[in-house]
Amino acid sequence: MQQTTLRIIGQTTRQQLCRSFSTTRVGTMSHIGGLPIKYTNEVKIEHLPTAFSAIDSRFFDKTTLKVTGPLGERTMPIEPFVSLEFVQPNGQADSAETQLLVSVGNSAERKQRQMWGTTRACINNCVIGVTEGFSATLRFVGVGYRAAIENGQLALRLGYSHPINLEIPEGLKVSVPTPTRVLISGIDLQQVKLFAAKVRKWKKPEPYNQKGIFVDDETI
């Protein structure tokens, strides 16, 4: 009798614990998406009604956002459920700073809630890219490891029997201030980090010998 009672109590407790955890979200506000994007008059942001791509069917229903600044121009697709609002601080039309607010049609929907913060982060990266730019520094650690710019390509010497020549992507600037250090810069954060990862894969850092190609402040 006592064992039966304990078994019933155990089952009841487990049911109560299961009911106490819910997958329903409390509130649908995006912490990142709700932050305003601030930029100065040297940056021009245009939300164009034209499709982002006339060839790729994935972008037929997406509009185009164009961000222009001192360092160049960036474009990105905007989902149809994303709304952009340009606000002048304190209602002053001649203010030196403008704020861009990003919102979605239905924040309770999972996809819209996910794209809310993602869209805001991508737009902010575009603004930073055309004003300050992005950079990545590669450090070559190892005997004989070095790099150089030869015939417009990045030549790597990493102990193989032949040098490795990599084409520099369009829109990126690559310099070699010292043979063991490579500086990659550009207005597109994704392209900068992607090319840095492409170089790094030829000699990934070793956890024991501490040799290889390190990106920025990377440690093993």
Side-chain angles (χ1 to χ4, degrees):
M1 182 67 180
Q2 184 177 3
Q3 293 180 352
T4 303
T5 304
L6 291 175
R7 189 180 301 110
I8 295 175
I9 294 175
Q11 293 176 353
T12 303
T13 304
R14 284 195 296 271
Q15 292 175 357
Q16 292 176 347
L17 288 174
C18 291
R19 284 194 293 265
S20 65
F21 291 96
S22 175
T23 57
T24 304
R25 292 178 61 90
V26 178
T28 55
M29 182 64 182
S30 172
H31 295 290
I32 298 178
L35 298 176
I37 301 173
K38 301 178 182 180
Y39 61 95
T40 59
N41 292 337
E42 64 180 359
V43 178
K44 182 180 180 181
I45 301 180
E46 299 177 273
H47 189 196
L48 307 176
T50 56
F52 182 73
S53 175
I55 302 175
D56 194 336
S57 60
R58 295 176 301 172
F59 301 104
F60 286 171
D61 61 338
K62 297 177 176 59
T63 54
T64 304
L65 184 74
K66 183 168 69 173
V67 182
T68 308
L71 299 182
E73 179 181 297
R74 288 288 316 281
T75 58
M76 62 168 288
I78 299 297
E79 295 283 352
F81 50 78
V82 173
S83 300
L84 305 178
E85 181 182 0
F86 298 89
V87 179
Q88 297 289 345
N90 301 324
Q92 300 177 0
D94 58 345
S95 175
E97 184 181 89
T98 305
Q99 293 184 358
L100 174 59
L101 303 179
V102 182
S103 60
V104 294
N106 183 12
S107 59
E109 186 177 337
R110 182 177 181 180
K111 180 181 178 181
Q112 296 192 24
R113 188 169 60 248
Q114 291 174 340
M115 292 304 299
W116 189 1
T118 300
T119 302
R120 191 267 176 197
C122 290
I123 297 176
N124 189 58
N125 285 339
C126 290
V127 173
I128 296 175
V130 299
T131 53
E132 304 174 10
F134 298 99
S135 63
T137 303
L138 303 179
R139 295 177 290 112
F140 290 68
V141 181
V143 178
Y145 294 179
R146 62 187 187 276
I149 301 295
E150 298 178 357
N151 300 323
Q153 297 180 327
L154 179 62
L156 308 177
R157 289 173 173 79
L158 303 171
Y160 299 114
S161 59
H162 60 282
I164 300 167
N165 297 320
L166 300 178
E167 292 286 345
I168 300 175
E170 184 179 358
L172 295 184
K173 295 181 180 179
V174 179
S175 60
V176 184
T178 63
T180 59
R181 192 172 297 268
V182 175
L183 179 62
I184 305 172
S185 60
I187 63 175
D188 191 337
L189 176 61
Q190 181 179 1
Q191 289 296 325
V192 170
K193 298 300 184 181
L194 187 63
F195 187 64
K198 184 178 180 180
V199 176
R200 178 185 179 273
K201 77 172 185 178
W202 286 101
K203 190 64 72 170
K204 296 181 180 180
E206 300 177 7
Y208 298 105
N209 297 328
Q210 296 293 315
K211 296 180 180 180
I213 301 176
F214 295 80
V215 179
D216 293 330
D217 297 327
E218 179 183 9
T219 57
I220 299 295

